[in-house]
Amino acid sequence: MSKYSITEFVRQTEQKDRGQGFFELETPRLLEVNLKLNDFVWAKTGSMISYLGKIKFEREGILEHGIGKTFKKALTGEGISLMKAKGRGKLYLADQGKKVTILHLQNEAIFVNGNDLLAFEPSIKWDIKLMKRVGGMLAGGIFNVRCEGTGMIAITTHYEPLTLKVIPGFPIITDPNATVAWSGNLQPTLQTDISLKTFIGRGSGESIQMKFEGDGFVVLQPFEEIRGKREHS
């Protein structure tokens, strides 16, 4: 049989059960969610590419997660539009071909850029958090999602993620547009480096940076994902 035959192509690319549980990486860029009877999952709106079985999709209700989050989303315009997938079957999720990473939180917390949060189990508590801004450098600051509890979440990155350890006394500076997530105990601040404006070429004329201090980690991607806009790898 030719290695380029249709039969061989189907064999190499067909869906495979890996027995990994509720969340499963079908490919590095595609998440499989295994829903049993009456299970449900929260997923980024528009991320469904296929499903098998009987699954119903519901748009996130106006007060689904409490009036506090509703007001925050209305105020910030944060791109955390969710849908609930409920039923029994296999659900396949993806986001612009970005790499998918599954994280199993065990009574832990992590901050994630809202645009990079693909899906999470209903046992995970979440809230929108605003980073303190410096003067008028940003019209509304930078908003992220704090996920906390025990359960699985799936995040996405453009290409391969890099995790840097934050050590007391040795702060790490990052570009907000390349910063995907960080440990829940860190409280980064925003700063500017005017000396970099010649090299950045951004409309603001300033280099806005995130400064992480303490003991934890930061997840980066080798790609600048301009917040509020949709970018493609």
Side-chain angles (χ1 to χ4, degrees), residues 29-108:
R29 298 171 184 268
L30 202 157
L31 177 70
E32 177 184 288
V33 183
N34 293 294
L35 295 170
K36 297 180 181 178
L37 186 62
N38 293 324
D39 276 350
F40 76 91
V41 66
W42 287 107
K44 184 176 182 179
T45 298
S47 62
M48 187 277 290
I49 64 167
S50 181
Y51 69 90
L52 310 172
K54 294 184 177 180
I55 300 176
K56 289 183 59 178
F57 297 89
E58 301 174 12
R59 185 176 296 274
E60 179 186 17
I62 296 177
L63 300 178
E64 185 84 44
H65 296 286
I67 195 168
K69 291 190 181 73
T70 300
F71 281 137
K72 285 182 183 179
K73 292 175 70 173
L75 176 67
T76 65
E78 180 68 5
I80 314 170
S81 179
L82 299 173
M83 63 180 182
K84 180 193 289 186
K86 183 177 182 180
R88 184 176 184 175
K90 294 182 179 295
L91 170 64
Y92 296 97
L93 305 174
D95 187 11
Q96 305 179 79
K98 294 162 67 177
K99 181 178 175 63
V100 179
T101 298
I102 299 172
L103 300 175
H104 188 185
L105 304 187
Q106 299 182 29
N107 197 27
E108 298 166 296

Side-chain angles (χ1 to χ4, degrees), residues 133-140 206 208:
R133 59 194 180 96
V134 180
M137 75 166 74
L138 292 172
E206 294 180 331
I208 301 171

Side-chain angles (χ1 to χ4, degrees), residues 29 95-98 115 157-159 221-226 229-233:
R29 298 171 184 268
D95 187 11
Q96 305 179 79
K98 294 162 67 177
N115 195 47
T157 56
H158 289 275
Y159 312 107
Q221 61 182 0
F223 185 94
E224 290 184 289
E225 186 171 23
I226 308 302
K229 296 181 180 179
R230 297 187 66 83
E231 300 284 339
H232 292 269
S233 298

Side-chain angles (χ1 to χ4, degrees), residues 1-13:
M1 182 188 301
S2 169
K3 65 179 181 179
Y4 300 118
S5 68
I6 291 178
T7 301
E8 181 62 16
F9 170 77
V10 171
R11 187 188 70 80
Q12 291 186 8
T13 61

Side-chain angles (χ1 to χ4, degrees), residues 170-181:
F170 296 90
I172 289 180
I173 312 300
T174 69
D175 182 335
N177 297 314
T179 306
V180 175

